[in-house]
Structures are given as C-alpha cells and as structure tokens.
C-alpha cells in the first residue's frame, strides 16, 4: 500500500480554508474595534447596539473556526509546523474573541460618557490611545496571518506606548476626581475604557508571541526570564 504524499491536495485545501476564515475573522474584529472607539467621540445608539450584536456573532464564528481546526487535526493529522500553526490558531481565536468582547464593553461604556465635559487633554489622550491600539490590531493580526515575525517582535514595544498612555490618562482622571465629585461616575468610566484598550493591546502582544513561537519554537517571555536569571 502506497503512502499518501504529505501534504495532500485536500490537506492544503482545508488548511487554506482555515487561514481564509481566520483572516476574515480578524478583519471583522478590526472593524468592530474601529466602530466601537468612534462612539467615544460621536455616540450613536444604533451603532452601539449593532456592535453588541456583532460581538455575539463573532463569538459564534470563533467557536466555528475552532471546531474546524479540531476537525482538521483529527482528520488530516498535521505534522510539525502545520500542527503548531493549527494549535496556535486555536489560541489566537480565543484572544480575538476576547478582543471582540472588549470592543462591546467600550461601546456600552461610550453611552455613559456622552456629552461629558472633561479636559481636551484627557479626551485627546484617549483618542490617541484608541488610534494606537487600532494600529496594533492591524499589525498584530497581519503578523499572524502572514507569519511576519519581524512585526510580531515589535508589538511588545508598541504595547509599552499604550501602557504609557493609560498611565497618563489614569493620572489625569484621578487628579480630576480629587478636584470635583460632579460627573464622578462618567470620569471613572473613562478609566474603564482606557483599561479595555490596554487589555486589547495585551491580547495583541499574546498573538505576536504565538507568531514568534511558531517560527522559532521558543516562547518570548520565557526566554526573557532566562536571560534575566543569567
């Protein structure tokens, strides 16, 4: 009995289908983030409701892609890098699902700060943070879909800039809360929104780490700890 060539045509077709679905899934989530952050500066109740529903749809879509990955492993028995890619795809999907839910949280919180009067500095920093996270998402999703390790390595430093913006917003909002109690709840919600953006950036870094792991067989944060111990 002859051994089947690896990979077979069906194998490649199914692998390409997973990659295509994952790419579309990432693009839809990227669009969701763009729409949710736009509500911070121009709130629209109908768009906010659509974002909540879209986040639910993306959760279902994520589960479907996860199942297709598991079926692929069971039926095609991928080897080496192919197996690592599929396993990493399942992990990445979990991060993307969480990002979609964080976008939903941003949309829901946007309603609570509509019309709030705070300094232009705070809202300017929040807008800058949202824009930077959008760039990170574009780069992070692209790094996985294209297996671009050079971009993946840059995501950690990008995340540091987002963390710096969060610290600035936290400092200014905390100072504002000590000065007046009026609109205190709305001001606290600005902190929550900034925190959601920070968490999205952290998830993007996790995605980048999967790209590095697939291509180097090393976990970035583990390697950094080893260097610190030496």
């Amino acid at each position: 009995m002859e051994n089947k060539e690896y990979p077979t045509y069906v194998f490649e077709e199914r692998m390409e289908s997973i990659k295509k679905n994952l790419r579309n899934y990432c693009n839809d989530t990227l669009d969701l983030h763009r729409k949710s952050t736009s509500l911070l500066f121009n709130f629209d109740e109908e768009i906010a409701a659509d974002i909540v529903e879209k986040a639910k749809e993306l959760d279902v879509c994520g589960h479907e892609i996860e199942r297709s990955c598991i079926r692929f492993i069971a039926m095609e028995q991928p080897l080496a890098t192919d197996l690592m890619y599929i396993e990493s795809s399942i992990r990445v999907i979990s991060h993307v699902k969480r990002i979609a839910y964080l976008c939903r949280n941003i949309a829901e919180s946007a309603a609570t700060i509509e019309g709030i009067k705070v300094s232009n500095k705070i809202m300017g920093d929040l807008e800058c943070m949202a824009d930077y996270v959008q760039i990170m998402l574009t780069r992070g999703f692209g790094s996985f879909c294209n297996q671009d390790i050079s971009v993946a390595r840059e995501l950690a430093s990008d995340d540091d800039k987002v963390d710096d913006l969060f610290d600035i917003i936290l400092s200014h909002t905390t100072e504002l809360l000590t000065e007046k109690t009026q609109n205190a709840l709305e001001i606290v919600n600005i902190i929550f929104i900034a925190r959601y953006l920070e968490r999205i950036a952290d998830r993007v870094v996790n995605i980048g780490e999967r790209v590095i792991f697939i291509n180097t067989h090393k976990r970035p944060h583990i390697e950094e700890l080893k260097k610190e111990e030496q």
Side-chain angles (χ1 to χ4, degrees), residues 39-182:
L39 294 176
L40 300 175
F41 315 100
N42 186 22
F43 184 76
D44 185 299
E45 188 174 348
E46 186 175 340
I47 293 177
D50 288 342
I51 288 171
V52 172
E53 290 304 311
K54 185 64 177 179
K56 294 177 182 178
E57 292 174 12
L58 287 173
D59 184 62
V60 174
C61 180
H63 284 298
E64 290 176 351
I65 301 174
E66 284 174 336
R67 283 194 289 269
S68 68
C69 288
I70 293 170
R71 285 195 300 269
F72 181 82
I73 293 173
M75 298 176 67
E76 298 296 336
Q77 299 179 354
L79 304 173
T81 303
D82 290 328
L83 177 59
M84 195 176 298
Y85 176 85
I86 293 298
E87 187 268 341
S88 292
S89 294
I90 295 173
R91 292 176 181 269
V92 166
I93 290 165
S94 69
H95 291 307
V96 180
K97 283 193 294 185
R98 185 55 187 158
I99 289 171
Y101 273 114
L102 288 166
C103 290
R104 181 197 66 182
N105 291 344
I106 291 172
E108 292 175 337
S109 297
T112 66
I113 67 169
E114 183 186 9
I116 184 176
K117 294 182 179 179
V118 295
S119 71
N120 291 333
K121 171 64 176 172
I122 291 176
M123 296 308 293
D125 287 337
L126 189 64
E127 184 175 14
C128 183
M129 190 177 185
D131 290 343
Y132 210 92
V133 171
Q134 181 77 9
I135 293 171
M136 277 192 71
L137 281 168
T138 302
R139 285 162 56 79
F141 290 161
S143 72
F144 188 82
C145 293
N146 301 319
Q147 288 300 293
D148 190 335
I149 191 171
S150 62
V151 172
R153 291 186 188 280
E154 295 171 356
L155 293 172
S157 61
D158 290 342
D159 183 51
D160 290 339
K161 295 174 184 176
V162 172
D163 289 341
D164 289 342
L165 284 168
F166 174 76
D167 290 339
I168 292 171
I169 292 171
L170 180 61
S171 176
H172 287 163
T173 49
T174 302
E175 184 179 340
L176 192 60
L177 284 170
T178 61
E179 294 176 355
K180 61 179 182 179
T181 56
Q182 186 180 9

Side-chain angles (χ1 to χ4, degrees), residues 2 9 24 35 51 67 77 130 176 182 196 201 205 217:
E2 293 184 2
Y9 172 77
N24 291 337
K35 289 179 179 178
I51 288 171
R67 283 194 289 269
Q77 299 179 354
L176 192 60
Q182 186 180 9
Y196 297 146
V205 172
H217 300 176

